[in-house]
Amino acid sequence: QQSDELIFFVNGRKVIERQADPEELLLYYLRKKHILFLNFRLSGTKYGCGIGGCGACTVMISTYDPVAKQIQHRPANSCLLPICSLHGAAVTTVEGVGSIKTRIHPIQERLAKCHGSQCGFCTPGMVMSIYALLRNHAEPSMEQIISALDGNLCRCTGYRPIIDSYRSFAREPTCCQLRGTGQCCLDQEECVCSSSTGDQVSYIRYFFPLSPVCLCNPEFPPMDPTQEFIFPPELMRM
Ligand code: FES
Ligand code: FES
């Protein structure tokens, strides 16, 4: 490695920049058509406000702490992040989490099935914020889930379907059946689940009468941590 090389990984692929522009920000870098000889064009990471206010540009940054001997994952607004701050880091974008070309990740699937995405512009950022949370906490609390979405704005959904979809990852049981009623919310006139309002369930039943989605007892494929990108071992030796 030469001293003027900037080395980091994007979705498991190594990037070496020899003439990195100190003013270049990660969001624009990812969305460019070509990164050196790599054809990334990772346009899933969205430009919303450009000033750290909306979360549409969220990616996950993973680094290795040699003192604690731990890999740390954190969400970051790529619109504020100079690429020169990424030496030794692994960047994961929404394309690295899942796509219809490879496989949809449970985080994406649950969001879609629970109608947590409408125009879809905020969706990659939502997915990445929750992905970073789940990489650190496989069974988060509802407080952690809501807090993880603090920096993500959505102008369409009103947030409830987003929170509901990710409630399914929470460690506390929230299902009506688990709560002892023995009945599913969607079979009742009014939802008794604390997660959903009666209005919301009526809306879903009206517009999606055959929908297999039950907000209270969903049959979602579980998260499989073995399918995720591993932290590049090379970066642990740098
Ligand atoms: Fe809005 Fe980055 S584009 S926070
Ligand atoms: Fe449109 Fe969230 S789905 S901004």
Side-chain angles (χ1 to χ4, degrees), residues 1-232:
Q1 178 195 338
Q2 296 169 20
S3 59
D4 60 346
E5 285 182 343
L6 171 66
I7 297 177
F8 58 101
F9 279 66
V10 176
N11 295 339
R13 295 166 75 176
K14 185 176 180 181
V15 177
I16 302 176
E17 281 285 352
R18 296 201 169 83
Q19 290 185 315
D21 177 353
E23 292 191 357
E24 181 146 34
L25 299 170
L26 180 61
L27 171 63
Y28 310 101
Y29 185 83
L30 292 171
R31 292 179 59 87
K32 274 194 314 197
K33 192 158 187 174
H34 298 285
I35 298 176
L36 291 179
F37 54 90
L38 299 174
N39 188 4
F40 276 163
R41 198 172 180 276
L42 297 172
S43 57
T45 306
K46 299 296 182 226
Y47 174 87
C49 63
I51 54 170
C54 71
C57 65
T58 306
V59 297
M60 185 177 81
I61 306 295
S62 305
T63 50
Y64 179 66
D65 179 344
V67 178
K69 295 196 180 343
Q70 276 181 350
I71 297 161
Q72 296 172 337
H73 307 288
R74 62 184 193 282
N77 290 331
S78 60
C79 69
L80 298 180
L81 208 59
I83 56 168
C84 287
S85 68
L86 293 172
H87 187 64
V91 179
T92 306
T93 71
V94 71
E95 292 90 345
V97 171
S99 84
I100 51 173
K101 288 184 191 152
T102 53
R103 71 174 179 119
I104 294 290
H105 193 279
I107 295 175
Q108 297 164 313
E109 181 184 9
R110 295 184 196 196
L111 194 64
K113 283 189 172 171
C114 291
H115 312 290
S117 181
Q118 289 183 25
C119 80
F121 199 81
C122 71
T123 304
M126 297 282 178
V127 167
M128 292 314 301
S129 290
I130 293 296
Y131 183 73
L133 172 68
L134 293 179
R135 289 296 300 261
N136 289 320
H137 306 280
E139 291 193 324
S141 66
M142 272 317 292
E143 285 74 26
Q144 286 174 313
I145 290 173
I146 290 169
S147 162
L149 296 174
D150 263 359
N152 293 86
L153 300 184
C154 174
R155 300 186 65 174
C156 306
T157 65
Y159 300 103
R160 176 49 64 195
I162 298 170
I163 299 290
D164 278 339
S165 59
Y166 293 142
R167 185 182 295 275
S168 60
F169 289 111
R171 64 168 171 258
E172 307 100 38
T174 54
C175 171
C176 300
Q177 291 171 329
L178 291 178
R179 288 153 63 91
T181 68
Q183 289 179 297
C184 170
C185 288
L186 295 185
D187 294 334
Q188 300 173 57
E189 285 305 312
E190 288 229 345
C191 179
V192 296
C193 175
S194 62
S195 68
S196 312
T197 64
D199 280 353
Q200 185 190 2
V201 173
S202 303
Y203 172 89
I204 291 171
R205 294 181 70 182
Y206 182 81
F207 287 102
F208 306 97
L210 299 178
S211 167
V213 174
C214 168
L215 293 177
C216 304
N217 189 22
E219 292 181 0
F220 295 130
M223 276 274 286
D224 181 359
T226 64
Q227 298 296 302
E228 311 301 339
F229 280 121
I230 61 162
F231 187 78

